[in-house]
Amino acid sequence: MNDANNMTKYSLRSWVLVLALAPTILVGILLGGYFTINRFYELEDTLIEQASNIIEPLAIASEVGLESKDFETTKRLITSAQLNKASLVQFIAIFDANNRVVVTSHHYKNHEVMRFDKPLDSMLRTERSPHNFPKA
């Protein structure tokens, strides 16, 4: 038995086909991966922008109720905002200077995840911190 006779010989047509398709498939996979990853980053940036567009006006609107200690009005305000944006916002909590919960949009057992760990003086602008909240 001659192993050389049993080896598959590729024709010129097969080689041309392989050499034409291999780079095309490789470029397609690389471009597909790039655009998919790029889209995920764009979606994350859009989500962060939408969250800022919800939170910043809400913070300004709730300031009056908190200063006058009208917690019921503030609760209605944040509950309404949370329900209107329920697909984006699961829960809203407002903490006092001592890091205690003052008002919440609805009862949520684990407030510890939402507490701000740094000194309050460092809150000069809107910041975000990633958290994986359990489903309520």
Side-chain angles (χ1 to χ4, degrees):
M1 291 199 172
N2 191 352
D3 289 333
N5 291 335
N6 291 335
M7 290 177 49
T8 305
K9 293 186 179 182
Y10 294 109
S11 66
L12 180 60
R13 180 178 176 201
S14 299
W15 278 110
V16 169
L17 193 62
V18 166
L19 292 176
L21 287 179
T24 306
I25 291 171
L26 181 64
V27 168
I29 290 171
L30 290 175
L31 285 175
Y34 169 75
F35 287 124
T36 301
I37 291 169
N38 190 31
R39 182 65 178 149
F40 279 120
Y41 284 122
E42 286 177 6
L43 288 173
E44 183 179 10
D45 291 342
T46 302
L47 183 63
I48 292 167
E49 183 179 340
Q50 287 178 347
S52 293
N53 290 339
I54 293 168
I55 281 301
E56 289 174 0
L58 186 60
I60 293 168
S62 63
E63 181 180 10
V64 174
L66 292 173
E67 285 180 351
S68 64
K69 302 216 184 291
D70 186 5
F71 299 128
E72 189 58 37
T73 303
T74 306
K75 180 177 177 65
R76 282 197 313 265
L77 176 69
I78 65 172
T79 300
S80 173
Q82 188 266 324
L83 291 175
N84 287 337
K85 302 295 181 183
S87 62
L88 292 175
V89 180
Q90 293 180 359
F91 179 75
I92 300 173
I94 299 176
F95 296 87
D96 65 4
N98 297 322
N99 218 0
R100 292 179 302 208
V101 176
V102 176
V103 182
T104 62
S105 60
H106 65 273
H107 182 67
Y108 186 73
K109 294 178 182 173
N110 189 6
H111 296 106
E112 296 302 318
V113 177
M114 299 178 71
R115 292 190 195 278
F116 191 68
D117 297 334
K118 301 174 191 168
L120 294 180
D121 297 340
S122 66
M123 294 180 68
L124 300 176
R125 60 185 167 78
T126 303
E127 294 182 12
R128 75 172 182 96
S129 58
H131 290 288
N132 293 323
F133 293 107
K135 298 289 182 187

